[in-house]
Amino acid sequence: MNAMLETPELPAVFDGVKLAAVAAVLYVIVRCLNLKSPTAPPDLYFQDSGLSRFLLKSCPLLTKEYIPPLIWGKSGHIQTALYGKMGRVRSPHPYGHRKFITMADGATSTFDLFEPLAEHCVGDDITMVICPGIANHSEKQYIRTFVDYAQKNGYRCAVLNHLGALPNIELTSPRMFTYGCTWEFGAMVNYIKKTYPQTQLVVVGFSLGGNIVCKYLGETQANQEKVLCCVSVCQGYSALRAQETFMQWDQCRRFYNFLMADNMKKIILSHRQALFGDHVRKPQSLEDTDLSRLYTATSLMQIDDNVMRKFHGYNSLKEYYEEESCMRYLHRIYVPLMLVNAADDPLVHESLLTIPKSLSEKRENVMFVLPLHGGHLGFFEGSVLFPEPLTWMDKLVVEYANAICQWERNKSQCSDTEQVEADLE
């Protein structure tokens, strides 16, 4: 009798369980997608100067809130995963010419050259020299999207193809791209300077490319000649300091490390004959046993230690990371420098962001831009679910470059006026 009386209450219990399950799922979704995170303008770190005041007036994106897609845009993981998986949506196909340069050690470096599709806003000849991220090249969708947008804003674009990254270009020496080697980028820049003696340069680097371009500019003062400014997006600044954080499971960095290492292994093994073949005069420190260690590597650090550092004769991983990181060169850059990172980038630990923050406190030419969201090279924009082809990052780089060009033009005009007045006196 009691059982019969209790039976009608069972559906209510089940409904309560279902409601609790739905609530739990919604809670997990809200937490994973970071839906409660606010949207805001990026945090800016800079010194008060004429240049910084001009940039704040000329670059609305610096003071306007960045609004990512409503459903998933506040998750740095999804932003990063979408960039890694599809690069960009509805990516254009800009037309360019591939150039080949034979390096001193016999390596064949390539870059793609894209002519401007409109007149630049200041009417000058400006070339963007672009260094992509790790194992990337001019055919990557995020590069194609950015190049197309830059062309339409009057920029000639030269995009480095990292040595060994293009699947249809064979290596012609026992060496491929490394974390901080600037040889190929420098060769591309020198080609542009000789071929277009009237042009001025805007230097742009994405992720690993940001490390390379900053290191290149800081290596010698001559490398900064004819350079208007430099933009670095989503780099980590110090490989030595990053290696420990990249082995941690916090923010799934260890998992990302494994995926990137697996991709690097595939690229290296696709060139195994050029790098490890019996007919190859490979570096003395590079041995056949390193190839066997490569198969079992599960992190970028293991690959760098067993293979990459030996291309340039470094005795240890510590020495390689210390010498090849741009952190020790940043203070030697005197042209305007914009450093961009996302606070939710799962690949770059927040402790590494003290490097650009500290630099911006000491140097008037440096501005550090830190939006809350964007992931690693994501920075997608869009209303609810589907992102727009152009990203906040694409627009910010071009907007900053335009502002610097206007700044330089105004300085030049002011100098000319002062000279005329001096002559009249």
Side-chain angles (χ1 to χ4, degrees):
M1 189 68 175
N2 291 337
M4 291 179 64
L5 292 174
E6 292 175 0
T7 300
E9 298 178 5
L10 290 177
V13 173
F14 289 141
D15 288 343
V17 172
K18 291 178 183 178
L19 184 61
V22 171
V25 170
L26 289 176
Y27 175 78
V28 171
I29 290 175
V30 170
R31 287 295 301 271
C32 291
L33 297 181
N34 206 21
L35 293 178
K36 294 182 67 176
S37 177
T39 57
D43 290 333
L44 303 177
Y45 301 85
F46 60 90
Q47 290 192 43
D48 183 38
S49 65
L51 174 61
S52 62
R53 290 192 293 270
F54 181 81
L55 289 174
L56 293 178
K57 292 179 181 178
S58 304
C59 299
L61 289 176
L62 291 175
T63 53
K64 178 182 175 183
E65 66 176 334
Y66 161 53
I67 303 177
L70 179 64
I71 300 299
W72 51 266
K74 295 178 181 178
S75 168
H77 293 291
I78 296 181
Q79 288 249 24
T80 301
L82 286 180
Y83 144 74
K85 186 66 178 177
M86 67 180 187
R88 294 290 180 263
V89 293
R90 299 188 297 279
S91 178
H93 290 79
Y95 177 77
H97 296 280
R98 182 154 295 166
K99 305 295 183 180
F100 296 80
I101 301 176
T102 301
M103 306 298 292
D105 64 347
T108 302
S109 177
T110 70
F111 68 93
D112 284 31
L113 189 62
F114 305 86
E115 291 298 328
L117 299 177
E119 185 177 356
H120 192 269
C121 63
V122 298
D124 292 340
D125 186 304
I126 313 290
T127 302
M128 281 192 175
V129 283
I130 302 166
C131 192
I134 184 171
N136 288 177
H137 44 73
S138 62
E139 297 176 10
K140 290 293 183 178
Q141 289 179 318
Y142 79 100
I143 294 294
R144 295 207 314 255
T145 300
F146 176 73
V147 165
D148 179 75
Y149 183 60
Q151 283 182 291
K152 291 175 180 176
N153 279 269
Y155 291 94
R156 179 187 298 107
C157 294
V159 183
L160 181 69
N161 300 310
H162 285 301
L163 201 64
L166 281 171
N168 58 337
I169 302 293
E170 297 291 335
L171 292 179
T172 56
S173 74
R175 177 175 68 84
M176 57 182 291
F177 78 91
T178 54
Y179 171 65
C181 179
T182 61
W183 298 350
E184 287 77 49
F185 185 77
M188 179 180 76
V189 170
N190 290 336
Y191 177 95
I192 296 298
K193 287 181 177 180
K194 292 177 181 178
T195 307
Y196 305 95
Q198 78 285 1
T199 198
Q200 294 175 293
L201 304 178
V202 172
V203 179
V204 181
F206 298 105
S207 192
L208 171 139
N211 179 74
I212 290 176
V213 300
C214 288
K215 179 174 178 282
Y216 168 77
L217 290 178
E219 284 176 337
T220 67
Q221 189 68 35
N223 289 348
Q224 299 178 50
E225 293 177 1
K226 305 188 72 173
V227 172
L228 292 173
C229 63
C230 174
V231 181
S232 165
V233 184
C234 289
Q235 69 150 308
Y237 307 100
S238 170
L240 188 63
R241 289 170 58 173
Q243 65 172 332
E244 292 183 4
T245 67
F246 222 34
M247 294 298 288
Q248 300 169 355
W249 282 100
D250 178 47
Q251 292 295 314
C252 299
R253 272 186 298 277
R254 183 65 181 90
F255 180 65
Y256 286 110
N257 191 352
F258 172 78
L259 294 178
M260 296 170 69
D262 188 60
N263 185 52
M264 279 298 301
K265 282 199 291 186
K266 292 176 181 177
I267 295 174
I268 295 172
L269 292 174
S270 70
H271 296 290
R272 63 168 64 88
Q273 286 301 318
L275 297 174
F276 298 96
D278 294 334
H279 65 287
V280 175
R281 287 190 60 188
K282 48 183 175 287
Q284 292 182 353
S285 57
L286 194 62
E287 302 174 354
D288 293 336
T289 54
D290 296 319
L291 181 58
S292 62
R293 294 193 187 102
L294 179 64
Y295 284 106
T296 59
T298 61
S299 71
L300 288 174
M301 284 67 77
Q302 290 173 324
I303 295 175
D304 287 342
D305 194 21
N306 291 317
V307 179
M308 308 302 277
R309 69 173 175 83
K310 297 180 180 181
F311 291 145
H312 298 287
Y314 288 106
N315 295 319
S316 67
L317 186 65
K318 181 178 183 293
E319 180 187 13
Y320 170 59
Y321 281 162
E322 281 183 338
E323 294 295 324
E324 297 297 302
S325 293
C326 73
M327 186 177 75
R328 60 200 300 266
Y329 296 93
L330 288 170
H331 68 282
R332 302 180 189 174
I333 300 176
Y334 299 98
V335 299
L337 172 63
M338 183 172 72
L339 305 171
V340 184
N341 289 91
D344 65 354
D345 186 337
L347 273 63
V348 180
H349 191 268
E350 62 182 356
S351 63
L352 297 170
L353 302 183
T354 59
I355 298 172
K357 287 179 183 178
S358 176
L359 185 70
S360 65
E361 293 172 355
K362 301 174 182 177
R363 305 296 302 275
E364 286 190 357
N365 63 309
V366 179
M367 177 175 285
F368 177 45
V369 182
L370 184 67
L372 283 173
H373 310 110
H376 191 77
L377 295 181
F379 300 104
F380 290 99
E381 290 184 309
S383 55
V384 179
L385 186 61
F386 298 102
E388 299 173 359
L390 276 177
T391 69
W392 179 85
M393 175 186 75
D394 299 324
K395 291 183 281 189
L396 177 66
V397 175
V398 171
E399 187 175 84
Y400 176 81
N402 286 344
I404 293 297
C405 292
Q406 292 167 353
W407 169 261
E408 292 296 329
R409 169 57 66 91
N410 292 342
K411 284 203 311 182
S412 176
Q413 290 177 344
C414 290
S415 297
D416 292 343
T417 302
E418 291 174 357
Q419 184 62 48
V420 169
E421 292 175 351
D423 293 340
L424 290 175
E425 292 176 358

